[in-house]
Amino acid sequence: MVPARGVKSLTGLSKNQIKKLTPIFSACWENADIKNGLHANPDRPGRPPGVKRRDVLIFVLAYLKTNLTFDALAMMFGVKRSTF
């Protein structure tokens, strides 16, 4: 668990603000998927997404605030660069 201060310094938002923003971000994500024909489809090939929307939101906020490379962010988040 990341301390509240760490989340704030990495993203610029408090944990509570991120909690409130997550459903809005998820709805926008779903709308973009539907618009681009990528919405959940059981016949769609490939593996199911393994990253929670909240984690993607934190990743995006961290990227926008720090402007780090995807390689650096992938190391910080403990994922492969191609995950995001």
Side-chain angles (χ1 to χ4, degrees):
M1 179 65 70
V2 178
R5 183 176 177 180
V7 172
K8 177 87 172 182
S9 68
L10 183 64
T11 65
L13 298 176
S14 69
K15 283 186 171 185
N16 195 32
Q17 289 171 313
I18 290 172
K19 187 176 181 178
K20 290 179 182 178
L21 187 58
T22 299
I24 298 166
F25 177 78
S26 292
C28 291
W29 187 287
E30 290 296 325
N31 287 338
D33 276 355
I34 290 168
K35 181 179 178 182
N36 294 313
L38 301 173
H39 58 283
N41 180 350
D43 297 328
R44 186 171 163 221
R47 63 185 170 100
V51 180
K52 296 177 183 174
R53 295 279 163 76
R54 179 185 53 86
D55 294 338
V56 175
L57 173 61
I58 293 171
F59 181 90
V60 169
L61 292 170
Y63 172 73
L64 292 173
K65 185 168 190 277
T66 63
N67 200 28
L68 290 171
T69 65
F70 285 120
D71 293 323
L73 285 169
M75 284 190 299
M76 288 175 60
F77 282 82
V79 296
K80 292 181 180 177
R81 182 183 186 276
S82 61
T83 300
F84 294 99

